Amino acid sequence: MLEILAGVLGFIIIASLGWVFVGGEDSSTQALKRAEGMGVGRNISTRKTAAQANTPEARRKVIELQLKEAERRERKARMTMAAKLKHAGLAMKIRTFWIISGVLGTLAFLIPLVFGLNLLLAAGISIVFGLGLPRWVVGFIGKRRMKKFSSEFANAVDVIVRGIRSGLPVHDCFKIIGKEAPAPLGPEFRRLVENMSVGLTLPQSLDKMYERMPTPELKFFTIVIAIQQKTGGNLGEALSNLTTVLRARRMMAEKIKALSSEAMASAGIIGALPPVVMTLVFITTPAYMGLLFTDPRGQVMLLGAAIWMSAGVFVMKKMIAFKF
């Protein structure tokens, strides 16, 4: 009995050893295979994700996100008065601007009182010269500066395209534009090169440049550079296509300006007609128009007329200002 039991136990032990060394797997081996399987799954998932990212739909979504982010930055950049001073290229601080505005407003309030005008009319003139005029001047300078920048930007991109095709680095192309391009394009690219020289990356330097010059052309350029750095590709070809788009947009803008010139002329005539007629009547018959300036009721009427005329000019400007 003991011999039979010993034989059975010996068979079980030998069979177990054979299963372990030949057909069996320990927990570490199984864990290794599971890890390898998970790694293979991750590699397959990564390859699928990369393949999906290279599809036209994925690239379109990336471009839409870039456009939305750029539009959000543009709205934020245009809101504050400090940003408008940057757009105009003025080196003054925001505190200096408000001091100048306060001085102008105070003088515009005191001078009409000295000449005997109504207090309400003097307050209206003070608001116009203290708040409206300085902001309008800064906005006018900024728009003119951005217009000059946009008109020369396509030529600057052409310089970059030719430099890349001839083997020059992009940084050297920026230096050439900074030296050769007229203001404000040249100084802005010089500041771009300086920012890159102190350690900022190209996207960061372009973002700072966009804060100073929030134009659609620079926005498109920033998006092309960002997409090219993320996905790769031929930068020269991409920028060449960008110059074609920029010139097509400029031609469209000129066409829109030509088609809307009649509406702009009509709006200018309608807006200038009341002041011109009032001036002519005042020159021919000063006593007839003098009551509007000497009588308090006439002064209130003049203030109301100015407010209504301003509202009308604003509405007409919105009607003929086409966005594309």
Side-chain angles (χ1 to χ4, degrees):
M1 188 67 180
L2 291 175
E3 293 177 356
I4 295 173
L5 183 59
V8 172
L9 291 174
F11 175 77
I12 293 173
I13 292 171
I14 293 171
S16 299
L17 291 173
W19 182 80
V20 168
F21 288 106
V22 179
E25 292 180 344
D26 58 0
S27 60
S28 62
T29 305
Q30 294 177 359
L32 181 60
K33 287 193 173 184
R34 286 197 298 270
E36 292 176 353
M38 292 175 64
V40 171
R42 283 196 298 268
N43 292 333
I44 294 173
S45 177
T46 303
R47 287 196 295 269
K48 288 182 178 179
T49 304
Q52 292 175 357
N54 290 326
T55 59
E57 183 68 20
R59 288 196 293 269
R60 184 179 64 82
K61 290 183 178 179
V62 171
I63 293 172
E64 288 180 355
L65 291 175
Q66 292 281 347
L67 288 173
K68 289 180 180 179
E69 180 65 20
E71 186 178 359
R72 185 188 65 81
R73 291 200 307 268
E74 182 179 0
R75 288 197 303 266
K76 184 178 178 180
R78 290 178 181 271
M79 286 175 59
T80 62
M81 196 63 219
K84 292 182 179 180
L85 291 174
K86 289 182 180 180
H87 303 165
L90 300 176
M92 71 172 64
K93 297 181 180 179
I94 186 64
R95 182 179 178 182
T96 306
F97 172 79
W98 290 122
I99 291 174
I100 295 173
S101 300
V103 171
L104 287 176
T106 304
L107 292 176
F109 180 75
L110 295 176
I111 292 175
L113 292 180
V114 172
F115 287 95
L117 294 182
N118 191 1
L119 182 64
L120 185 61
L121 185 61
I125 296 174
S126 174
I127 293 173
V128 170
F129 281 88
L131 295 178
L133 183 62
R135 296 173 69 91
W136 179 83
V137 170
V138 172
F140 176 77
I141 296 174
K143 289 180 180 179
R144 185 178 62 179
R145 187 167 178 265
M146 287 188 286
K147 186 177 180 180
K148 290 181 180 179
F149 181 90
S150 299
S151 63
E152 295 291 336
F153 190 76
N155 297 329
V157 179
D158 278 338
V159 172
I160 298 173
V161 172
R162 290 193 293 268
I164 292 174
R165 289 176 178 175
S166 62
L168 287 177
V170 179
H171 190 269
D172 292 343
C173 298
F174 291 159
K175 288 182 179 179
I176 293 172
I177 297 171
K179 292 180 181 178
E180 302 296 335
L185 189 67
E188 288 296 331
F189 270 91
R190 285 198 293 270
R191 294 186 66 176
L192 177 67
V193 173
E194 291 173 359
N195 289 332
M196 294 175 64
S197 301
V198 297
L200 294 179
T201 62
L202 179 57
Q204 292 174 345
S205 302
L206 287 174
D207 288 339
K208 287 185 173 295
M209 186 177 179
Y210 186 76
E211 291 177 0
R212 300 187 302 269
M213 194 65 64
T215 60
E217 290 78 11
L218 183 57
K219 177 173 66 176
F220 295 151
F221 180 76
T222 305
I223 291 171
V224 169
I225 294 294
I227 293 175
Q228 193 274 338
Q229 287 189 343
K230 291 181 180 179
T231 61
N234 191 346
L235 180 59
E237 183 179 357
L239 293 179
S240 178
N241 295 332
L242 177 62
T243 56
T244 303
V245 173
L246 295 180
R247 288 194 167 88
R249 289 185 76 255
R250 184 161 183 82
M251 291 179 62
M252 183 182 295
E254 295 296 333
K255 188 175 181 179
I256 291 174
K257 184 178 179 181
L259 292 175
S260 61
S261 59
E262 182 179 356
M264 294 177 64
S266 301
I269 293 171
I270 293 172
L273 191 60
V276 170
V277 171
M278 186 183 71
T279 304
L280 293 175
V281 174
F282 184 78
I283 293 173
T284 54
T285 54
Y288 181 77
M289 296 296 297
L291 292 175
L292 291 175
F293 296 95
T294 56
D295 191 272
R297 293 170 295 179
Q299 295 172 0
V300 173
M301 291 173 63
L302 283 176
L303 182 60
I307 293 173
W308 282 110
M309 281 297 299
S310 301
V313 170
F314 177 77
V315 171
M316 288 189 293
K317 182 180 179 181
K318 288 294 182 182
M319 291 174 65
I320 62 177
F322 298 97
K323 293 183 179 181
F324 59 96

